[in-house]
Amino acid sequence: MKILFVGDIVGRPGRDALEGLLPGLRAELGIDVCIANGENVADGIGITPRLADHLLRSGVDAITLGNHTWRRDGIADYLASSTQVVRPANLSATTPGRGLAIVESADGTPVAVVNVLGSLWLEPAGSMWEVIDGLVEEARRSTPVVVVDVHAEATSEKIALSTWLDGRVTAVVGTHTHVQTSDGRVLAGGTAAITDVGMTGPHDSVLGVVSELAIRRMRTGMPVRFETASGGVRLEGAVITCDPETGRATAIEAVRLPWP
Ligand code: FE2
């Protein structure tokens, strides 16, 4: 079974790249299920119900989120009933939505998608370490194929989580930093891991933001309204190959494709 995880989709350039490249990628690589991080699709910050539906219509089977989950109107009600869009499990338990979804691959095999938020600079309501074991146990009651999106700033947190979960999940995929790391590997217990899958969006930028605006905010410390950049658009992600009977991964390969 092949799982494509698409890294943080940023704004319209990211959505265009996804829409343009995903059908061909699915066919060419024989992708059975596609999971994408969508917390930056609405002009770089958050996601709207309309854009979530749009991604799902474009061939994405499950969407994960992150620290910008609540930025857009309507998304809370949407998450309350969505079966394909998850938010980090360790946001406040008083808010709608879940950190675990079970979706179906092309041949009907169930695939569990788990989403948690790291602690450094992201201020989750609770630690991911308090919820992750319970989520993985719950996921494995439905399927051995479990993919965890750890949305976090610190490489240490992401590597620690993949090491902790080795042998219990198919893959631990890092998101949020928008910079793809070159450490994709399958750990001893059969869990594929990559510290960050990268960004689907404009790379001639500061993490997707018009460079001049990001630099001005950093230099001056004054508020600057960010805009999504437009140049150097790429789809980035990773393809994980696994045995659907056991959930064990056999390979992980990073993907970087220019668009157009
Ligand atoms: Fe983020």
Side-chain angles (χ1 to χ4, degrees):
M1 168 184 245
K2 284 192 172 177
I3 301 161
L4 171 65
F5 194 105
V6 177
D8 307 35
I9 301 163
V10 176
R12 177 173 285 281
R15 300 197 306 269
D16 288 349
L18 179 92
E19 242 176 87
L21 291 167
L22 187 56
L25 256 184
R26 282 195 80 130
E28 190 186 322
L29 300 178
I31 299 299
D32 297 293
V33 67
C34 173
I35 306 162
N37 184 284
E39 78 136 11
N40 302 119
V41 294
D43 205 18
I45 296 186
I47 188 168
T48 62
R50 188 179 63 82
L51 290 176
D53 285 339
H54 182 80
L55 292 186
L56 295 171
R57 275 197 308 272
S58 304
V60 173
D61 299 296
I63 299 170
T64 56
L65 298 173
N67 51 305
H68 294 312
T69 296
W70 307 124
R71 291 295 189 108
R72 300 287 173 170
D73 287 346
I75 196 62
D77 287 344
Y78 182 89
L79 286 184
S81 60
S82 177
T83 55
Q84 288 168 285
V85 186
V86 290
R87 50 105 168 142
N90 53 328
L91 297 180
S92 173
T94 63
T95 57
R98 287 218 63 203
L100 167 64
I102 313 285
V103 298
E104 276 189 5
S105 74
D107 73 352
T109 304
V111 175
V113 180
V114 172
N115 192 192
V116 290
L117 193 63
S119 290
L120 182 74
W121 298 345
L122 297 177
E123 293 168 6
S127 163
M128 66 181 180
W129 299 100
E130 292 170 358
V131 298
I132 193 65
D133 291 340
L135 282 170
V136 168
E137 265 171 47
E138 185 183 345
R140 286 174 60 99
R141 284 199 286 275
S142 298
T143 174
V145 182
V146 182
V147 178
V148 177
D149 171 358
V150 53
H151 194 80
E153 188 75 40
T155 51
S156 55
E157 284 187 284
K158 299 194 226 184
I159 293 170
L161 190 70
S162 59
T163 304
W164 176 249
L165 294 177
D166 184 24
R168 290 190 280 158
V169 302
T170 305
V172 178
V173 169
T175 59
H176 178 69
T177 69
H178 295 194
V179 178
Q180 189 179 76
T181 55
S182 60
D183 65 339
R185 72 272 185 215
V186 178
L187 303 174
T191 294
I194 185 167
T195 302
D196 205 291
V197 282
M199 173 175 77
T200 297
H203 285 257
D204 294 345
S205 68
V206 176
L207 308 185
V209 173
V210 171
S211 299
E212 191 266 327
L213 302 177
I215 293 166
R216 195 194 308 164
R217 186 194 281 186
M218 289 181 202
R219 288 191 74 222
T220 65
M222 292 168 75
V224 175
R225 196 185 150 78
F226 281 179
E227 288 167 28
T228 300
S230 56
V233 178
R234 285 201 299 272
L235 180 151
E236 292 189 344
V239 176
I240 298 129
T241 308
C242 76
D243 178 345
E245 302 294 320
T246 63
R248 282 179 74 100
T250 51
I252 177 167
E253 211 168 317
V255 173
R256 299 180 101 184
L257 287 174
W259 172 259

